[in-house]
Amino acid sequence: MTSLRLKLCASLLVLAACAPLPASQVVPPAAAEWPALQSPTAPDAAMERRIAAIVAGMTLEQKVGQMTQPDVRYVTPDEVRQYYIGSVLNGGGAWPDMNKHATVADWAALADRFHDAAMQTDMAVKIPLVWGTDAVHGHNNVSGATIFPHNIGLGAAHDPALIERIGRATARQVRATGITWTFAPTLAIGQNRRWGRTYESYSSDPALVARYGEAMVRGLQGELTGDGDVLATAKHYLGDGGTFNGVDQGETRATRSDLIRREAVGYYAALDAGVQTVMISYSSWNDVAAGHDGGKMHGNRELITDVLKGRLGFDGLVVSDWNGIEQVPGCTRVSCPQAINAGIDLIMVPEDWKAFIASTVADVREGRIPQSRIDDAVTRILRVKMRSGLFEREPSASIFNGRAEAVNAADLAREAVRKSVVLLKNENRALPLAHGRRILVVGASADSLSNQTGGWSLTWQGTENTNADFATGSTLLGALRRQLGEANVTYSADGAGVNVADFDVVVAVLGETPYAEYNGDVRFPKPVQHSALYPADLAVLRAVAGKGVPVVSVLYSGRPAYANDLINLSDAFVAAFLPGTEGAGLADVLTGGRHDFTGQLSFAWPGSACSTGEGPGDVVQFARGYGLSYADAGRVGSLPLPATPTACQTSAP
Ligand code: GLC
């Protein structure tokens, strides 16, 4: 072939005019726009031969069973054996025997029962089961486990090493319960404050998401096969945090270049760190500018197979989200050849898994799914299980298995809380809280571990919990009483009937009530203003402000919400995000002494109720990177109070 022709052939644009390359080397033009990546894990020829031999000996039913992931509430260990199930999960709010207070030993015992069942199938080669869980800020499913700050706070800590340490601690917590896979980290680039999952994002800055996501993957996975290692999940692929108007599971209107340079930046880092699983997003992708509507991600073959598995060299497994396949046009939650042909390997089909198995077997038999796709999916599932050591040692072989002390990480979480809270204002030396002063604490959130931990805490939504359900941790009120003396700290939830003048300083703890996913959306055109969403907080602040006694406000929130009215009523204002169980970390920085504020916003803080992002039309009150310490003057003056409309006029760009 002439050198010119060779050069031309090397340019993908004229591929068709050249001698045909083997299918495995042909890169579709759309995928060719993506910077290439190779798997960091060198192929293991012996492992691949072993996998191929196992797959060759499996029936179609056994293969499809391996690709099926029910929720533990809807499958028994014996059904795992009978239907050759390859994986289970516990969705938020699922516990052993549906007991919220199940002990670590209870979790480990259930994991043993599922493992043993999988090893008792009539298969020639038994395949161990892998259990996945949402340990997204510590092992938040387990009563008594330390719960860390949500990602929005960890992003403000600007400490990748801390995040890696949290990953290590979380992995140990998960292995204590006999589980070897967590659906974390979320790599969303949170772009619209309306989104109910903003708090699961580290930042609106892709570079920060990449650094922190990589650190979490390394912390969770370690060497993959150690006693304190678990599989991590890069989620939700792709563009979950970029939907129009921040609608959860909505439409991400982005060019392919936007995907590459923004939405996918975290995935390049996580893949390079060796993440072994990727979860698909409920959202859809629409390149409006190019007139290319990619549709729901769960059916997008270009982005899952051509890009993720091809161009980016991902050789682990791709898992769907909870019944996510049903959102693909023409599909139901039990039947979706399109999703499997798009490249999804493991289907999260929590309840109706028997019907899914039957329909998928029929899809293969009737030619709607190629046998080669099934074999590739099972090969990937087995590869991930082998890489994580499951074939060599059962999950309970870990030194952490069943050990209650392994879910305690209070000191590390307390450090994380100190580093994750951001001081936005500190005038009239309101902070630090001096010892020996008379302190009035107000606000329902001051004594609420639910508001302090947010969603994905014991239950899916983080609701239906009392402080007693968290067998560990402390509220901010409890922590202040311990650090400053019970007699010096008076509490009034609503601030009514107390004479503020009897005190030296007031601490007003304001907060969102917990939510997860779409339940946290603030749907357009509703203004995103904390006092409008939580008027009781404004009432409490008005009851104590302007009485000649300094007011320190602390806000628990899963998003930066417009709060100039609250900030103006406060002498000091702390954005605490969702700090988790260790309220002591917050008391540490409020009382000063050994600990100063170091947190810096990883999302810009809005200056009006309809500014929901960081785009041209948005008013920013505090820029990304803003955060005060005790050394700063802390004066912000009276902030502007633009009128809040009953309905915002403009949608997100
Ligand atoms: C949920 C979430 C996902 C989670 C999964 C399993 O719907 O979208 O983040 O990992 O289901 O609970």
Side-chain angles (χ1 to χ4, degrees):
M1 186 183 291
T2 67
S3 61
L4 172 62
R5 185 168 163 74
L6 196 60
K7 282 197 186 84
L8 282 177
C9 282
S11 85
L12 300 165
L13 299 179
V14 290
L15 206 58
C18 305
L21 293 170
S24 60
Q25 291 180 36
V26 173
V27 178
E33 289 186 45
W34 291 72
L37 196 61
Q38 278 191 329
S39 168
T41 311
D44 178 332
M47 179 186 287
E48 296 302 318
R49 282 195 300 274
R50 188 180 173 197
I51 291 169
I54 294 171
V55 173
M58 292 170 73
T59 66
L60 178 56
E61 287 75 7
Q62 291 165 354
K63 293 174 182 176
V64 175
Q66 192 60 215
M67 295 170 63
T68 304
Q69 185 186 57
D71 177 280
V72 294
R73 284 166 285 195
Y74 309 107
V75 66
T76 65
D78 195 53
E79 288 172 323
V80 161
R81 178 189 61 74
Q82 195 182 342
Y83 287 85
Y84 310 105
I85 299 297
S87 177
V88 298
L89 84 146
N90 62 287
W95 314 282
D97 296 324
M98 282 311 286
N99 171 10
K100 183 191 289 189
H101 302 105
T103 64
V104 165
D106 295 334
W107 283 88
L110 180 58
D112 277 348
R113 290 199 295 277
F114 276 119
H115 169 79
D116 294 345
M119 303 309 284
Q120 287 157 10
T121 66
D122 59 6
M123 293 174 71
V125 178
K126 317 300 183 190
I127 300 175
L129 165 140
V130 62
W131 178 340
T133 190
D134 291 281
V136 295
H137 58 146
H139 201 349
N140 37 263
N141 307 277
V142 179
S143 176
T146 300
I147 295 182
F148 289 89
H150 268 297
N151 289 350
I152 188 171
L154 296 184
H158 293 278
D159 186 343
L162 170 71
I163 290 179
E164 184 162 348
R165 289 158 60 206
I166 291 172
R168 292 311 295 150
T170 302
R172 279 196 300 274
Q173 292 179 316
V174 173
R175 290 305 299 269
T177 59
I179 299 172
T180 62
W181 180 15
T182 180
F183 303 132
T186 292
L187 299 176
I189 314 295
Q191 294 153 62
N192 192 309
R193 311 294 179 262
R194 293 180 177 283
W195 190 37
R197 305 190 76 165
T198 295
Y199 67 78
E200 296 184 64
S201 169
Y202 291 111
S203 176
S204 55
D205 178 351
L208 294 183
V209 171
R211 271 173 53 209
Y212 303 156
E214 176 185 352
M216 182 53 80
V217 167
R218 295 191 189 284
L220 289 169
Q221 294 196 160
E223 301 306 316
L224 272 181
T225 57
D227 285 14
D229 299 342
V230 294
L231 294 166
T233 306
K235 75 180 186 181
H236 310 78
Y237 184 85
L238 184 61
D240 52 347
T243 59
F244 183 65
N245 272 340
V247 174
D248 188 41
Q249 305 186 11
E251 181 178 79
T252 296
R253 299 175 183 176
T255 64
R256 188 169 283 114
S257 174
D258 293 335
L259 293 188
I260 295 169
R261 288 161 182 75
R262 183 180 68 225
E263 307 297 342
V265 171
Y267 289 85
Y268 275 90
L271 292 173
D272 204 38
V275 71
Q276 288 298 301
T277 79
V278 172
M279 185 183 292
I280 300 301
S281 177
Y282 286 114
S283 56
S284 55
W285 169 49
N286 187 356
D287 186 349
V288 178
H292 170 70
D293 185 350
K296 280 288 178 179
M297 277 304 306
H298 275 75
N300 192 310
R301 179 191 165 80
E302 173 199 329
L303 291 178
I304 299 173
T305 294
D306 299 343
V307 172
L308 177 63
K309 294 182 170 181
R311 195 68 175 161
L312 275 56
F314 179 61
D315 57 5
L317 73 84
V318 173
V319 61
S320 64
D321 202 336
W322 184 282
N323 286 326
I325 61 173
E326 69 182 352
Q327 297 192 16
V328 177
C331 287
T332 67
R333 59 178 57 181
V334 300
S335 170
C336 194
Q338 299 92 309
I340 293 171
N341 291 336
I344 296 180
D345 305 308
L346 181 64
I347 307 297
M348 189 185 295
V349 51
E351 305 101 335
D352 310 291
W353 53 272
K354 287 179 185 172
F356 167 77
I357 291 171
S359 68
T360 302
V361 167
D363 285 335
V364 179
R365 292 227 162 91
E366 293 158 24
R368 290 183 291 274
I369 301 174
Q371 181 65 57
S372 59
R373 176 72 270 276
I374 297 293
D375 290 350
D376 174 54
V378 176
T379 294
R380 286 170 175 270
I381 292 168
L382 296 190
R383 183 181 294 138
V384 170
K385 291 182 174 180
M386 279 191 190
R387 283 176 174 170
S388 61
L390 272 180
F391 272 81
E392 312 315 320
R393 298 197 313 159
E394 64 273 14
S396 60
S398 162
I399 59 171
F400 301 108
N401 190 71
R403 293 176 55 179
E405 66 273 20
V407 298
N408 173 17
D411 291 344
L412 176 60
R414 182 168 177 172
E415 174 190 349
V417 173
R418 289 195 292 265
K419 292 180 173 178
S420 67
V421 298
V422 183
L423 181 60
L424 301 183
K425 174 182 182 181
N426 186 24
E427 296 181 352
N428 310 320
R429 300 297 299 163
L431 285 174
L433 301 175
H435 290 256
R437 308 304 294 265
R438 298 162 301 164
I439 296 170
L440 170 63
V441 176
V442 297
S445 296
D447 197 31
S448 167
L449 280 172
S450 286
N451 291 7
Q452 200 171 293
T453 53
W456 297 103
S457 300
L458 299 183
T459 63
W460 174 43
Q461 293 294 315
T463 51
E464 301 171 274
N465 296 319
T466 66
N467 286 349
D469 288 319
F470 297 84
T472 184
S474 63
T475 63
L476 177 55
L477 175 65
L480 288 174
R481 282 178 162 160
R482 254 186 299 286
Q483 293 193 21
L484 297 173
E486 189 95 16
N488 295 323
V489 179
T490 302
Y491 179 51
S492 163
D494 60 6
V498 287
N499 182 2
V500 173
D502 292 344
F503 299 92
D504 299 310
V505 62
V506 179
V507 177
V509 188
L510 319 172
E512 293 180 334
T513 49
Y515 52 78
E517 303 192 51
Y518 43 80
N519 284 340
D521 282 3
V522 179
R523 287 292 169 98
F524 178 82
K526 204 171 187 181
V528 185
Q529 174 167 351
H530 184 82
S531 55
L533 298 167
Y534 297 91
D537 279 349
L538 179 58
V540 164
L541 207 41
R542 282 177 171 157
V544 298
K547 303 283 197 301
V549 176
V551 175
V552 174
S553 292
V554 175
L555 175 63
Y556 295 150
S557 69
R559 70 184 94 231
Y562 172 66
N564 282 7
D565 52 343
L566 305 177
I567 296 171
N568 284 349
L569 288 170
S570 311
D571 297 278
F573 199 93
V574 177
F577 300 111
L578 298 170
T581 51
E582 305 312 308
L586 190 45
D588 288 342
V589 286
L590 291 175
T591 54
R594 288 185 300 124
H595 301 292
D596 194 352
F597 286 92
T598 59
Q600 296 176 323
L601 296 177
S602 63
F603 291 82
W605 196 280
S608 74
C610 297
S611 294
T612 55
E614 297 167 17
D618 291 307
V619 177
V620 171
Q621 188 58 58
F622 301 110
R624 212 167 45 209
Y626 177 89
L628 301 175
S629 70
Y630 282 126
D632 294 304
R635 177 160 179 70
V636 299
S638 179
L639 299 179
L641 296 173
T644 296
T646 49
C648 295
Q649 295 308 307
T650 53
S651 296

